[in-house]
mmCIF file of all heavy atoms in Angstrom:
data_model
loop_
_atom_site.group_PDB
_atom_site.id
_atom_site.type_symbol
_atom_site.label_atom_id
_atom_site.label_comp_id
_atom_site.label_asym_id
_atom_site.label_seq_id
_atom_site.Cartn_x
_atom_site.Cartn_y
_atom_site.Cartn_z
ATOM 1 N N SER F 30 127.059 -181.605 69.127
ATOM 2 C CA SER F 30 127.484 -181.098 70.433
ATOM 3 C C SER F 30 127.982 -182.235 71.315
ATOM 4 O O SER F 30 128.956 -182.085 72.025
ATOM 5 C CB SER F 30 126.342 -180.362 71.113
ATOM 6 O OG SER F 30 125.279 -181.250 71.377
ATOM 7 N N ILE F 87 113.914 -190.908 55.604
ATOM 8 C CA ILE F 87 113.676 -189.622 54.944
ATOM 9 C C ILE F 87 113.984 -189.727 53.458
ATOM 10 O O ILE F 87 113.224 -189.237 52.621
ATOM 11 C CB ILE F 87 114.516 -188.514 55.615
ATOM 12 C CG1 ILE F 87 113.988 -188.254 57.020
ATOM 13 C CG2 ILE F 87 114.500 -187.244 54.789
ATOM 14 C CD1 ILE F 87 114.883 -187.376 57.847
ATOM 15 N N PHE F 98 105.388 -186.703 42.134
ATOM 16 C CA PHE F 98 105.328 -185.345 41.604
ATOM 17 C C PHE F 98 105.994 -185.221 40.237
ATOM 18 O O PHE F 98 105.706 -184.276 39.505
ATOM 19 C CB PHE F 98 105.948 -184.354 42.599
ATOM 20 C CG PHE F 98 105.067 -184.121 43.790
ATOM 21 C CD1 PHE F 98 105.439 -184.573 45.042
ATOM 22 C CD2 PHE F 98 103.862 -183.469 43.676
ATOM 23 C CE1 PHE F 98 104.632 -184.373 46.141
ATOM 24 C CE2 PHE F 98 103.047 -183.255 44.756
ATOM 25 C CZ PHE F 98 103.427 -183.715 45.995
ATOM 26 N N THR F 109 98.261 -171.253 41.440
ATOM 27 C CA THR F 109 99.319 -170.958 42.403
ATOM 28 C C THR F 109 99.086 -169.595 43.048
ATOM 29 O O THR F 109 99.194 -169.446 44.272
ATOM 30 C CB THR F 109 100.689 -170.991 41.706
ATOM 31 O OG1 THR F 109 100.850 -172.238 41.054
ATOM 32 C CG2 THR F 109 101.808 -170.788 42.705
ATOM 33 N N CYS F 110 98.754 -168.607 42.230
ATOM 34 C CA CYS F 110 98.498 -167.256 42.770
ATOM 35 C C CYS F 110 97.300 -167.256 43.703
ATOM 36 O O CYS F 110 97.316 -166.591 44.749
ATOM 37 C CB CYS F 110 98.271 -166.274 41.625
ATOM 38 S SG CYS F 110 99.767 -165.870 40.726
ATOM 39 N N VAL F 133 93.220 -155.425 73.525
ATOM 40 C CA VAL F 133 92.106 -155.369 74.473
ATOM 41 C C VAL F 133 92.563 -155.879 75.836
ATOM 42 O O VAL F 133 92.259 -155.270 76.871
ATOM 43 C CB VAL F 133 90.906 -156.179 73.932
ATOM 44 C CG1 VAL F 133 89.864 -156.397 75.007
ATOM 45 C CG2 VAL F 133 90.292 -155.478 72.733
ATOM 46 N N GLU F 146 96.338 -148.364 91.568
ATOM 47 C CA GLU F 146 97.166 -147.235 91.994
ATOM 48 C C GLU F 146 96.336 -146.199 92.739
ATOM 49 O O GLU F 146 96.771 -145.644 93.770
ATOM 50 C CB GLU F 146 97.851 -146.598 90.791
ATOM 51 C CG GLU F 146 98.988 -147.416 90.233
ATOM 52 C CD GLU F 146 99.574 -146.798 88.970
ATOM 53 O OE1 GLU F 146 99.013 -145.816 88.445
ATOM 54 O OE2 GLU F 146 100.601 -147.311 88.503
#
Side-chain angles (χ1 to χ4, degrees):
S30 64
I87 292 170
F98 287 111
T109 305
C110 287
V133 167
E146 286 176 352

